[in-house]
Amino acid sequence: MKNLQAQTHEFNTKKIHFQCPPCNMECDTVHFSEPGACPTCGMKLFAAYQGFENKEGSHGDNCNKKVAVLIFPGVEIIDFTGPWEVLAAAGMQVYSVSVSEATVATSMGLKIKPDYTFENAPAPDIVLIPGGNVRPADKTVTDWILKMNEKSEHLLSVCNGAFYLGKIGLLDNLKVTTFYSAIERLQQITPKAIVVDSVRYADNGKIITAAGLSSGIDAAFHLVSVYLGKAQAKKLAV
């Protein structure tokens, strides 16, 4: 009994420190005095005692999230295929969604058969809204986006896909961006937003807007880091 009491006392008096889950970066050996996020890999810090490492958390190589990709006639190919590849490589379940089952012709003529329609698509964790021949006045599309906004964790727009978000007021009072030639138009659509042209993407927590083309890939890697940490996003990019 005395030995057990002594061990319990020793355990309870050990100093608590905080550390990130192992990620094969220099932060693996760094201990912090307060909880929060690791400044190196971005992952949540876990409490541990000296000599007793917390094994509950670990950096996962896969992120089991559902991603609905909006496609429409004239959609820009790289705006959705670039992020699609990044998110799928991170282990996410990515699928295309359109207003109907009809084959969609992209901006460069590539034809896509949607995986789902607005009516039967699985509820997504993330919604990707690419640019191209966007029609912000299309109420069928904007109503679907509003509905998905209520259910999802993130909305990611690329290029002038941000027009859809701006039209329905989701960008009000946020710092946002779009393709450089569409900056002025986005500001007209959403006058309450802070529209900037000096960033690749702007993260407002739930809503992320990317400038366009390859910047959508950058935003997708950023989103992976939100879920899996910077270390895994870097590993995925190499």
Side-chain angles (χ1 to χ4, degrees), residues 122-202:
D125 301 296
I126 300 165
V127 180
L128 173 65
I129 306 167
N133 185 29
V134 302
R135 298 181 179 181
D138 188 335
K139 197 170 185 302
T140 302
V141 174
T142 55
D143 282 352
W144 178 77
I145 293 174
L146 278 172
K147 184 178 179 181
M148 294 304 100
N149 178 58
E150 296 175 357
K151 300 178 178 181
S152 64
E153 298 173 3
H154 292 282
L155 298 181
L156 168 58
S157 70
V158 182
C159 194
N160 62 346
F163 289 4
Y164 285 123
L165 300 178
K167 180 66 176 180
I168 52 183
L170 293 180
L171 301 184
D172 288 355
N173 304 312
L174 301 182
K175 180 181 177 181
V176 300
T177 194
T178 185
F179 193 58
Y180 71 94
S181 64
I183 291 289
E184 184 176 345
R185 177 59 178 151
L186 180 59
Q187 190 69 82
Q188 293 171 351
I189 291 174
T190 178
K192 294 182 180 180
I194 304 168
V195 184
V196 296
D197 62 359
S198 57
V199 296
R200 298 283 284 174
Y201 59 85

Side-chain angles (χ1 to χ4, degrees), residues 32-55:
F32 302 89
S33 59
E34 296 180 354
C38 175
T40 301
C41 70
M43 292 299 287
K44 180 180 179 181
L45 299 176
F46 289 85
Y49 294 97
Q50 183 177 2
F52 178 77
E53 303 300 328
N54 191 319
K55 302 297 184 181

Side-chain angles (χ1 to χ4, degrees), residues 217-228:
I217 298 174
D218 293 343
F221 275 117
H222 170 70
L223 191 52
V224 170
S225 75
V226 170
Y227 285 107
L228 298 179

Side-chain angles (χ1 to χ4, degrees), residues 22-25 41 43 58-62 90 221 224-225 227-238:
C23 59
N24 297 319
M25 295 182 70
C41 70
M43 292 299 287
S58 62
H59 284 276
D61 289 325
N62 293 300
F221 275 117
V224 170
S225 75
Y227 285 107
L228 298 179
K230 295 178 183 177
Q232 289 300 323
K234 182 178 180 181
K235 177 182 176 182
L236 190 65
V238 172

Side-chain angles (χ1 to χ4, degrees), residues 2-110:
K2 288 185 178 180
N3 287 338
L4 178 60
Q5 290 176 340
Q7 291 174 2
T8 302
H9 175 73
E10 180 183 3
F11 183 79
N12 289 335
T13 56
K14 286 180 181 287
K15 184 178 180 181
I16 294 176
H17 62 247
F18 298 89
Q19 62 189 74
C20 68
C23 59
N24 297 319
M25 295 182 70
E26 61 271 17
C27 51
D28 278 357
T29 59
V30 178
H31 293 167
F32 302 89
S33 59
E34 296 180 354
C38 175
T40 301
C41 70
M43 292 299 287
K44 180 180 179 181
L45 299 176
F46 289 85
Y49 294 97
Q50 183 177 2
F52 178 77
E53 303 300 328
N54 191 319
K55 302 297 184 181
E56 292 183 17
S58 62
H59 284 276
D61 289 325
N62 293 300
C63 182
N64 188 24
K65 296 291 181 179
K66 293 184 176 66
V67 184
V69 177
L70 174 66
I71 60 172
F72 47 85
V75 63
E76 187 66 43
I77 297 172
I78 193 173
D79 283 3
F80 75 91
T81 56
W84 184 310
E85 184 162 351
V86 172
L87 300 176
M92 301 188 191
Q93 179 185 338
V94 189
Y95 49 88
S96 57
V97 183
S98 190
V99 65
S100 73
E101 297 178 349
T103 298
V104 174
T106 69
S107 61
M108 299 297 175
L110 176 68

